[in-house]
Amino acid sequence: MDNAKHEHASQLKIDAPWQRLSPIAILYFAMQIMRNALGNIVYLIPIIAYSYSSMREHPLIWLPAIAVLFLFLLLGAFWSFQVYRFRLSNKVVEIRSGIFSKKHLNLPFERIQNVKIEQPIYYRATGFACLQLDTAGSVKQEAKLVALPVILAEQLKQQILDNTPALNEAQHVDAANTDAEKIRPSSANNEHIINQRSLADLILHGITNNRIWILLGGLAPFYDDIAGKINQGMMTYGINIKDMFSLETHSVLQVGFYALSLTLIIMFVLMLFSVTGAIVSFYGYTLSKVEGRYIRRSGLFTKHEVSMPLSRLQLVIQKQDWLDVVLKRVNLKLEQMNAQLKQLDSSGANSKIIVPSITLQQSQALINDMYPNNQLFSIAFAPISAFYLLRYIGYFLAPLFCIFATFTIIQHNWTATALGFSVFLLASACVYLRWRRWGYAFDDNFIYLRRGLLGVDYYCFPAFKVQQCQFTQSVMMKRRQLATNKYVLASGSIALPMLPESIAFNMLDSCLYQVESSQRSWM
């Protein structure tokens, strides 16, 4: 097997002939077809719901349809493998693919932004991997070689890096940004691990970043059915949930205790889902550095590797939810070029470099390593104008509540009035907390932003990375000499609202001066 891999690697060279994938690529294409089918299953929900009763009465009637779908799956995967070809020719990656719609992708090395290696679980035993090439343009310009021996994938990755000036010059850009660090000659032996996450860290990340409520929202139409199934299951153990919450047979104190217990059990189950997701995504997490690149490796089932040249780093975000504040942990997020486009890719979640659940000291050390001259942890943040409160509470929330309260009072519906007032107070409190979190600062090299609600997030980006500046001022803001600045980076845009007009102009002038005078590339 090793000899075959080396022979295959030796054949891959400039002006090489068209190459075929290993037959194991059929498995990858089958998984992709299944994933696309599951992604479109929402369109089949009405049909499934309509025929659900007949499916239960005659389950065997669907076996022929399932068999036909499985046959089409295998045929589609096999044919995708048959038509797929790739080669490297004159520093260009070429890929031919497509069953009905033929595609010929021509991707020059200089357009490649990132080279990533992924190893799905079904490739682990056979020693194969996928090589994904991300560009600075459209998602349609991305290329993926889906079944290469791991050794070949590593060699091809290094070959692309060595022949791509934009990626290879990252170490020289790093040296230009600071005199404190001297770049050594390029060598894979220079790679060293600068951060690792233990299993305990991943459990903390799952607890503090629970996003299972998104799943709960999607399950909303099925709540009645789910509750019925749960009640039937509990009845087999002699537990009647409906009787437990009946005020006719139990006191208010008992019902309240049952409700609290059930809520805690549900929260615990949901937390387990979140923790499992964190472990699956970040298991074996390592963040390494070699010359001018940072490399993230992680994944329990599918192993992912993301390589990011420091020159591509556009923005550093230190995120801290309310539970992170209690546990004194943060999540560090490194935004690259066109991060918003990668949201459209199936591997978009694995394209960004996220350092999960690290301490404040570890976050500071990593940010200082990336941006040696930053003052994120020492600079004083200035608050935005209190007009923010007047705008959202006085001009928006208060009128809505007054209209609502007028109708409920006329109808003598005091319960609705009290509920509306409670919602108004809660929304106003959220606006106030948001205003308290807003803060901004800038120096000769960087722009800093602080925002949040219960937690707090910090943003830091070099001024010379800004591609576009926008100065916005409404009529009401102009009367109060306020303005909103918007900075457009290659990774997205960032807005700073309700700034004093003079400060807004000074920040824009300082930013534009850095862009024009530094002569440094944002890439």
Side-chain angles (χ1 to χ4, degrees), residues 23 25-34 70-84 99:
I26 297 174
L27 185 56
Y28 172 85
F29 290 120
M31 296 299 294
Q32 285 298 106
I33 294 173
M34 289 180 59
F70 185 72
L71 178 61
F72 274 111
L73 171 67
L74 293 180
L75 289 176
F78 178 76
W79 195 250
S80 296
F81 159 74
Q82 284 292 103
V83 300
Y84 193 102
I99 300 177

Side-chain angles (χ1 to χ4, degrees), residues 3-22:
N3 292 334
K5 292 178 182 177
H6 286 294
E7 290 176 4
H8 194 179
S10 63
Q11 294 174 1
L12 193 59
K13 56 185 179 179
I14 303 300
D15 296 326
W18 288 98
Q19 305 286 316
R20 296 190 63 177
L21 297 174
S22 167

Side-chain angles (χ1 to χ4, degrees), residues 442-445 447 462-466 469 487 505-520:
F442 66 101
D443 55 27
D444 293 338
N445 300 300
I447 295 176
F464 77 90
K465 294 274 187 178
V466 174
C469 297
Y487 301 94
F505 278 125
N506 288 339
M507 292 184 69
L508 292 179
D509 288 341
S510 176
C511 179
L512 293 175
Y513 175 77
Q514 287 295 322
V515 172
E516 295 176 0
S517 63
S518 66
Q519 299 297 316
R520 285 184 284 177

Side-chain angles (χ1 to χ4, degrees), residues 265-442:
I265 292 173
I266 293 174
M267 291 180 63
F268 178 74
V269 173
L270 297 181
M271 183 189 68
L272 289 181
F273 278 108
S274 181
V275 169
T276 301
I279 294 174
V280 169
S281 299
F282 296 107
Y283 183 80
Y285 184 98
T286 61
L287 180 65
S288 304
K289 184 179 181 182
V290 52
E291 281 91 27
R293 296 198 309 274
Y294 292 90
I295 303 172
R296 187 210 77 184
R297 298 182 178 94
S298 65
L300 179 60
F301 300 123
T302 299
K303 289 190 175 295
H304 296 276
E305 176 184 309
V306 180
S307 177
M308 182 194 72
L310 182 57
S311 61
R312 304 281 183 174
L313 179 61
Q314 304 293 312
L315 172 68
V316 171
I317 307 174
Q318 179 181 281
K319 301 182 70 68
Q320 193 174 36
D321 292 336
W322 70 272
L323 197 51
D324 288 316
V325 175
V326 175
L327 298 176
K328 297 182 179 179
R329 293 292 180 120
V330 299
N331 298 301
L332 192 62
K333 188 176 180 182
L334 312 180
E335 290 279 8
Q336 305 184 52
M337 296 168 53
N338 287 332
Q340 73 277 11
L341 292 177
K342 297 184 185 299
Q343 304 270 349
L344 305 175
D345 191 356
S346 60
S347 62
N350 300 304
S351 299
K352 301 177 182 179
I353 293 186
I354 300 175
V355 191
S357 194
I358 57 177
T359 64
L360 293 170
Q361 292 76 15
Q362 290 173 327
S363 176
Q364 182 175 358
L366 289 174
I367 294 176
N368 289 340
D369 182 75
M370 299 167 192
Y371 292 150
N373 298 323
N374 85 91
Q375 303 182 62
L376 179 62
F377 300 94
S378 59
I379 200 167
F381 285 83
I384 64 174
S385 171
F387 180 67
Y388 183 90
L389 298 174
L390 180 62
R391 179 178 183 177
Y392 290 100
I393 298 178
Y395 295 162
F396 181 70
L397 293 177
L400 287 178
F401 170 70
C402 290
I403 295 173
F404 178 80
T406 300
F407 281 102
T408 55
I409 291 174
I410 291 175
Q411 297 176 2
H412 302 287
N413 191 342
W414 307 112
T415 301
T417 304
L419 180 61
F421 184 67
S422 301
V423 173
F424 169 72
L425 290 180
L426 179 61
S428 299
C430 290
V431 172
Y432 175 77
L433 291 175
R434 177 77 72 180
W435 171 73
R436 287 293 303 268
R437 288 299 193 193
W438 272 110
Y440 62 92
F442 66 101

Side-chain angles (χ1 to χ4, degrees), residues 210-221:
N210 196 335
R211 297 294 182 265
I212 201 67
W213 55 268
I214 300 176
L215 175 62
L216 294 181
L219 293 176

Side-chain angles (χ1 to χ4, degrees), residues 167-323:
L167 295 176
N168 204 24
E169 290 175 1
Q171 58 191 53
H172 303 297
V173 175
D174 205 10
N177 291 341
T178 174
D179 295 331
E181 182 178 354
K182 300 300 183 182
I183 301 300
R184 295 164 292 178
S186 178
S187 171
N189 296 328
N190 290 334
E191 181 178 340
H192 62 281
I193 296 175
I194 57 178
N195 192 274
Q196 290 179 293
R197 310 316 301 144
S198 66
L199 185 61
D201 295 325
L202 301 185
I203 293 174
L204 278 179
H205 180 70
I207 294 173
T208 58
N209 292 266
N210 196 335
R211 297 294 182 265
I212 201 67
W213 55 268
I214 300 176
L215 175 62
L216 294 181
L219 293 176
F222 309 100
Y223 279 169
D224 290 339
D225 293 338
I226 294 173
K229 295 293 184 182
I230 293 176
N231 190 44
Q232 291 178 7
M234 299 296 288
M235 287 288 289
T236 60
Y237 297 97
I239 301 175
N240 192 321
I241 297 179
K242 292 183 178 180
D243 289 344
M244 290 175 59
F245 292 94
S246 175
L247 293 175
E248 296 178 357
T249 57
H250 298 85
S251 66
V252 176
L253 183 61
Q254 286 178 308
V255 172
F257 176 76
Y258 292 150
L260 178 62
S261 301
L262 183 60
T263 301
L264 292 177
I265 292 173
I266 293 174
M267 291 180 63
F268 178 74
V269 173
L270 297 181
M271 183 189 68
L272 289 181
F273 278 108
S274 181
V275 169
T276 301
I279 294 174
V280 169
S281 299
F282 296 107
Y283 183 80
Y285 184 98
T286 61
L287 180 65
S288 304
K289 184 179 181 182
V290 52
E291 281 91 27
R293 296 198 309 274
Y294 292 90
I295 303 172
R296 187 210 77 184
R297 298 182 178 94
S298 65
L300 179 60
F301 300 123
T302 299
K303 289 190 175 295
H304 296 276
E305 176 184 309
V306 180
S307 177
M308 182 194 72
L310 182 57
S311 61
R312 304 281 183 174
L313 179 61
Q314 304 293 312
L315 172 68
V316 171
I317 307 174
Q318 179 181 281
K319 301 182 70 68
Q320 193 174 36
D321 292 336
W322 70 272
L323 197 51

